[in-house]
Each structure stands twice: as structure tokens, then as C-alpha cells.
Amino acid sequence: MAERRIAMWSGPRNLSTAMMRSFGARGDCACVDEPFYAHYLLQTGLPHPMRDEVIASQPGDWSDVLPDLTTRPVGRPLQYQKHMVQHMLPGMDLDWTGALTNVFLIREPERVAASFAIKRGLPDPAELGFDRQWQMFQQMSARGDRPVVIDSADIRREPARALQALCAAIDIPWTPAMLAWNPGPHEHDGVWGAVWYDAVNRSTGFSEPEGPLPQLEAPLSALAAALRPSYEAIAAYRLRFP
């Protein structure tokens, strides 16, 4: 199989690290963890946990990262790129993504808002990435490169069937190895994993399906309601499997 580069685009608190674990468990896949995080922090000035460590760990100019994502050999048949859509700030064009297999990972905004608030308090809507994800989906689709969309709820409900469907949709072989991984930090994790990856580091596979939507108090409920139109717009294209 020729070398393939798979870019998984999501917002925060959205099963993205578990998906990186899943692809990393294949044995034929190199992983890249949020390569634009340092650029994002430098440009926004946001006081994220371990800000200085993150900035020191990566190139500060997003364009310096592109060779690793597009042309530099990875030494394995697959490369899995874990990206946060909110890291794609204005002025960062998407032309380079045309060479990738793009997948959009989505999650209901009520769940994302509740999970993010535990870590960081009330977020700015842009930090959750819903509107940016929908914008990127439209831009990629307009150039004739509609991304595959998969909902994290579908993965958690039936991991094997969902991942089989995903692999078929992006034309790579399915392997049951994607269903389990070793606990603890992994070598490709970003330094920020010490703050954000506690739950996934305790895991050895995908969690059970989530229950009812959380009951949010204002202003989190208003935030989730404002983000829901973008979620529902992109969710209309989500991967369905029998």
C-alpha cells in the first residue's frame, strides 16, 4: 500500500486522542499530535495549561510544520494527523490539505461544552471549533474534496462497526487492532498530554456509549445552543453504517 496521510479534524474534548490511540495501535501508522498548537498559542495569547512547554516543543510558525504533514517520508504506510480545527486561524490556507485524506470527527456541543468547562471554565465559542469546523468542511467540499464525517457517539456505540465503516470510506484496510491499546502516555503524545490526556491514559479501548445529554446551566447552555446549528449542519453528512 502506498503511503497515505490521514488528517482527522475535530474540536477539543471529542474522542480525538482515543482515535489517535486507535490508529497508532494498527502497527502500520505513524501519528502526529496537534502540530499547530504552538502557533495557535503564540497567535492568540491564550493562557492554556503548559503554554510555555507547548511553545517550546513545536515550531512557532505553522508553515514550518507543513513538510512533516505533506512531503517528508514517515517510514510507514500510514500517517495519522490529529488536528484541532480551532488551531486553523485566519490566514492559514487549506490548500495543503488537498493532498491528504481528510476526516471530520464531530460531537454534540452540549457534551463538548460540559467536558471543556471542567478543564478550563467557560470557553470562548471559537475555542470549541464548531463554526470553524463547518467552515472548513464547506471549503474542502467546494474544491471537490468532501471530507468523511464520523460522529464520536457512533464510535462509542459500536466501535468495531464504526471503524470498519471508516476504514472502508477512506480506503484503508480494517484491523481489529484498532480496538485496543496500551494504557499510559504514548511516544507521539504532545507534552500537553500531562494535563489533557488523563482519562485516555487510563484507557485500553473505547469507552461505553454516553448517556443522555448533560443538563447545562446558563451560560453553558446558551453557548451549546449557539453552536448546535454548525454541529447539525455537518452532522447531516456523517458516515452511516447498517
Side-chain angles (χ1 to χ4, degrees):
M1 181 174 61
E3 185 177 280
R4 294 277 306 282
R5 298 175 189 267
I6 301 161
M8 181 77 75
W9 298 94
S10 76
R13 318 310 293 168
N14 191 12
L15 206 68
S16 58
T17 309
M19 289 297 290
M20 183 171 66
R21 293 281 189 270
S22 175
F23 273 83
R26 292 177 56 96
D28 62 354
C29 186
C31 295
V32 180
D33 192 10
E34 299 184 31
F36 301 127
Y37 197 1
H39 177 87
Y40 173 72
L41 292 179
L42 285 167
Q43 294 299 309
T44 62
L46 287 168
H48 278 204
M50 298 187 68
R51 172 187 165 86
D52 292 343
E53 292 86 347
V54 174
I55 291 171
S57 73
Q58 296 178 328
D61 186 326
W62 75 279
S63 62
D64 291 338
V65 179
L66 295 184
D68 288 335
L69 307 179
T70 57
T71 58
R72 190 165 290 145
V74 299
R76 296 187 186 180
L78 300 177
Q79 182 191 55
Y80 178 88
Q81 303 173 11
K82 174 193 167 193
H83 292 292
M84 296 286 105
V85 292
Q86 72 273 18
H87 292 176
M88 299 302 293
L89 297 168
M92 298 171 66
D93 72 72
L94 299 179
D95 290 348
W96 62 276
T97 65
L100 311 178
T101 298
N102 294 290
V103 181
F104 280 42
L105 177 66
I106 63 174
R107 189 186 188 198
E108 290 173 298
E110 294 81 5
R111 300 189 193 280
V112 172
S115 180
F116 192 93
I118 293 172
K119 289 284 187 178
R120 290 263 299 142
L122 180 66
D124 183 289
E127 285 192 79
L128 301 188
F130 282 86
D131 294 341
R132 184 61 175 137
Q133 190 175 47
W134 175 229
Q135 292 168 359
M136 290 175 61
F137 179 84
Q138 293 177 92
Q139 187 172 342
M140 291 181 184
S141 297
R143 72 184 182 202
D145 181 27
R146 179 180 291 174
V148 173
V149 179
I150 190 163
D151 198 307
S152 63
D154 292 330
I155 298 171
R156 290 184 60 165
R157 186 177 66 253
E158 295 185 272
R161 294 180 66 203
L163 293 177
Q164 287 178 51
L166 175 60
C167 289
I170 62 177
D171 194 27
I172 65 171
W174 149 254
T175 169
M178 297 179 72
L179 297 175
W181 50 82
N182 293 327
H186 287 218
E187 63 179 356
H188 45 252
D189 292 356
V191 296
W192 52 90
V195 174
W196 295 98
Y197 294 176
D198 50 337
V200 78
N201 284 343
R202 295 192 298 270
S203 72
T204 57
F206 291 100
S207 301
E208 296 295 318
E210 296 182 290
L213 289 179
Q215 297 298 309
L216 304 178
E217 297 183 359
L220 267 186
S221 60
L223 171 66
L227 298 174
R228 181 157 275 278
S230 288
Y231 165 78
E232 291 181 349
I234 197 170
Y237 297 92
R238 73 184 185 276
L239 188 63
R240 301 178 188 273
F241 46 94

